[in-house]
Amino acid sequence: MFLLPLILGIGIGFGLAYAMVGFLAVKSNDIGNSKGDFQDFADNTVHIKVAENNVSGGNFYDL
Amino acid sequence: MICKCPNCGEALSYNIDEQLLLCPACDSNFNPNDAVDEETISEYETMQCDIYSCTTCGAEIAVNDVEAATFCAYCGQPTIIFNRVASQKKPEFIIPFSITREQAEEAIRNHLRRGFFVDGGVKNFQTERICGIYVPFWLYDVFYSSNQVLRGTIKHGKYRQTHYYRRISECTFNKVTVDASRRLQDESSQRLEPFDTTALKPFEAGYLSGFYADCYDSTSQDKKFFAVYKVKELFNQEVIKSVPADNVKITQDNPTHEILSETYAMLPVWFLSFIHEDKGYTIMVNGQTGKTVGAVPYVKFKIKAAIMILGTLLSGLAIKFLESDLYSHPKDFRESLFIYIVLIFISFSYGAKQFKKLKKSIGLTTAESINKFAKERQDG
């Protein structure tokens, strides 16, 4: 009965450790990973001319 | 390209701090706009270049120097053969360097110093291996619009309901940057973004003095696709944000776009190359903003030790928690079993994804194309 918590515990422990060390390794060794975003290339927001919620998903609407 | 001092004839260099051309011999300074001889400026949007091949190393570079005798910037040999004369399209704009070589070096050192998993040999790189290169870029103004249907989910109590949304939207994107050099990978040059394109200045050859510069080898026609693809990604991200639901996806898309303008510009980048364990690495610094881009090798022993120590600690805590949970609430424990297994799977997947991401970044930093792009200038 003790075997199940042992196996799960090791799995969870080392899984979380692997995830945390991976995150820290990227933070430590990978510099400037990001690309430019929307605000860098557009002065205004996207102008939404038509916004309809809860429409039927099956039809393709023509302009 | 060399600008000469009108007082003493010595080659002028662009000083980043002063934002002027300085003469190292007589300490005179000049505005880059005034330093180029009016008679040599072509009426058309091209500039005459001499393209030559070095007989020793075969390197090919473009210069507009009228000197008959010079030396190869790659191998230092004095024998040059003038191969052909070519007309290269003159850039319309330039962003001059505003980050000095010392500031670029300091930015890189600061990043590497903080890295716990960075190899000690990498932290102490050689100072000489930094050079400033004006990289050719195409800048596009793009009008993008789309008629889209999106699908998202909204939680209602215990259940999730699927909803559909319609959006007709448009946006104009200004000065979308795409690098115009085949030798520099797009993935690497994109990470240098953003450049502040409001600081673009009309191109003058004087700005290039003291730096290297490349002409474009990918036409604007070749690179249009990349600009539209980039704009599409940015546009879709913003439209998805406008939908008040979770897990939003675009199910139908009818986009149109128009390239409003294409501009050829030179943008500043510092390149640092070094060798570590027989492998070449190149780190880049945005010469305008100081953003540092690149990945360096990690110390495997430190990674393994960190996983073992952290894993042991967390395992101990997890085992203690699970044991008490099992004995106090055995029925709940069985129900939670699935959650624990999913947690293990997600943790390992996330960790693997991070290491894969790091490996990919190191691959870009060690790519032969980018190492060659920078290194061949430094050895000259």
Side-chain angles (χ1 to χ4, degrees):
Chain A
M1 201 59 173
F2 176 70
L3 203 58
L4 193 56
L6 179 68
I7 294 168
L8 281 176
I10 290 171
I12 291 170
F14 278 89
L16 286 174
Y18 190 58
M20 284 163 69
V21 171
F23 173 77
L24 290 170
V26 167
K27 279 278 178 202
S28 159
N29 289 50
D30 192 3
I31 310 161
N33 208 344
S34 62
K35 302 174 191 177
D37 57 24
F38 179 81
Q39 284 94 347
D40 298 319
F41 300 110
D43 295 328
N44 305 311
T45 55
V46 169
H47 174 52
I48 297 175
K49 297 195 295 186
V50 173
E52 293 174 6
N53 298 333
N54 300 314
V55 298
S56 169
N59 302 328
F60 185 88
Y61 292 89
D62 297 322
L63 278 168
Chain B
M1 298 179 190
I2 298 175
C3 287
K4 292 211 174 148
C5 176
N7 296 334
C8 66
E10 190 67 31
L12 299 170
S13 290
Y14 184 76
N15 184 284
I16 296 167
D17 290 327
E18 305 279 339
Q19 297 281 296
L20 293 169
L21 287 168
L22 295 184
C23 176
C26 67
D27 288 335
S28 304
N29 57 61
F30 306 93
N31 191 304
N33 298 329
D34 303 328
V36 178
D37 186 353
E38 292 285 343
E39 292 175 0
T40 64
I41 296 173
S42 170
E43 289 177 8
Y44 308 103
E45 292 181 350
T46 59
M47 55 185 182
Q48 292 292 108
C49 302
D50 290 332
I51 308 288
Y52 61 82
S53 291
C54 175
T55 51
T56 304
C57 69
E60 244 188 11
I61 59 173
V63 290
N64 64 359
D65 187 357
V66 297
E67 288 179 358
T70 180
F71 60 89
C72 175
Y74 292 83
C75 66
Q77 289 296 314
T79 308
I80 304 284
I81 292 176
F82 282 82
N83 199 355
R84 57 188 163 90
V85 175
S87 288
Q88 298 280 336
K89 183 174 164 61
K90 181 181 163 186
E92 290 167 65
F93 297 104
I94 188 168
I95 294 178
F97 275 88
S98 50
I99 300 291
T100 64
R101 177 186 160 129
E102 291 74 26
Q103 285 170 332
E105 182 192 338
E106 191 57 33
I108 295 169
R109 285 195 188 282
N110 282 340
H111 276 289
L112 297 182
R113 220 176 276 137
R114 286 199 299 260
F116 179 74
F117 298 111
V118 175
D119 194 301
V122 167
K123 288 185 184 182
N124 303 313
F125 59 82
Q126 290 183 29
T127 311
E128 294 81 44
R129 293 178 184 270
I130 298 180
C131 70
I133 304 175
Y134 278 103
V135 178
F137 273 82
W138 291 109
L139 310 179
Y140 298 91
D141 288 344
V142 184
F143 173 79
Y144 193 92
S145 68
S146 190
N147 180 1
Q148 295 168 312
V149 174
L150 300 96
R151 183 185 67 221
T153 59
I154 297 176
K155 195 172 182 182
H156 295 285
K158 278 189 180 179
Y159 304 99
R160 280 200 163 269
Q161 197 171 26
T162 300
H163 295 265
Y164 289 89
Y165 307 83
R166 183 193 178 199
R167 294 286 185 270
I168 299 177
S169 340
E170 62 185 34
C171 186
T172 301
F173 293 82
N174 303 310
K175 303 285 183 285
V176 178
T177 49
V178 180
D179 90 77
S181 172
R182 280 208 184 99
R183 292 190 295 160
L184 187 61
Q185 286 183 322
D186 292 336
E187 182 76 36
S188 298
S189 59
Q190 277 181 63
R191 292 183 183 200
L192 287 165
E193 292 169 355
F195 286 91
D196 179 11
T197 51
T198 59
L200 281 167
K201 291 185 178 174
F203 177 81
E204 293 293 342
Y207 288 114
L208 303 180
S209 286
F211 302 99
Y212 295 96
D214 259 18
C215 297
Y216 71 87
D217 55 6
S218 289
T219 63
S220 64
Q221 197 61 36
D222 295 337
K223 292 293 186 172
K224 262 181 198 173
F225 167 77
F226 291 100
V228 173
Y229 179 77
K230 189 191 262 192
V231 155
K232 181 181 175 180
E233 272 194 334
L234 297 170
F235 180 89
N236 287 343
Q237 277 169 18
E238 290 300 297
V239 172
I240 284 171
K241 276 185 199 172
S242 75
V243 173
D246 304 320
N247 309 313
V248 179
K249 297 244 183 310
I250 297 170
T251 57
Q252 294 176 44
D253 195 7
N254 185 24
T256 58
H257 69 268
E258 187 188 347
I259 305 282
L260 302 173
S261 71
E262 303 161 9
T263 312
Y264 174 36
M266 286 196 170
L267 306 184
V269 182
W270 288 104
F271 287 79
L272 165 78
S273 290
F274 60 90
I275 303 286
H276 177 69
E277 291 180 0
D278 296 325
K279 231 177 181 179
Y281 294 84
T282 303
I283 297 180
M284 300 184 290
V285 178
N286 184 315
Q288 181 193 34
T289 62
K291 181 182 179 186
T292 309
V293 172
V296 293
Y298 51 81
V299 182
K300 284 183 183 166
F301 168 74
K302 275 188 178 176
I303 294 281
K304 286 176 185 171
I307 292 173
M308 288 305 295
I309 293 168
L310 206 57
T312 307
L313 281 167
L314 291 173
S315 296
L317 290 168
I319 290 168
K320 209 170 169 81
F321 169 78
L322 290 169
E323 236 189 337
S324 65
D325 193 32
L326 174 64
Y327 288 127
S328 53
H329 307 101
K331 197 177 174 186
D332 291 340
F333 183 86
R334 278 196 289 275
E335 285 172 359
S336 306
L337 200 57
F338 175 72
I339 295 169
Y340 295 136
I341 292 169
V342 167
L343 178 63
I344 293 170
F345 179 74
I346 290 172
S347 301
F348 276 107
S349 296
Y350 180 79
K353 192 176 167 187
Q354 293 302 302
F355 280 105
K356 190 178 171 186
K357 188 177 169 184
L358 182 57
K359 211 173 173 180
K360 185 184 172 188
S361 293
I362 293 174
L364 285 172
T365 307
T366 56
E368 202 182 310
S369 56
I370 191 174
N371 281 325
K372 204 178 165 190
F373 187 84
K375 195 175 184 301
E376 61 191 6
R377 301 163 213 265
Q378 298 167 14
D379 291 346

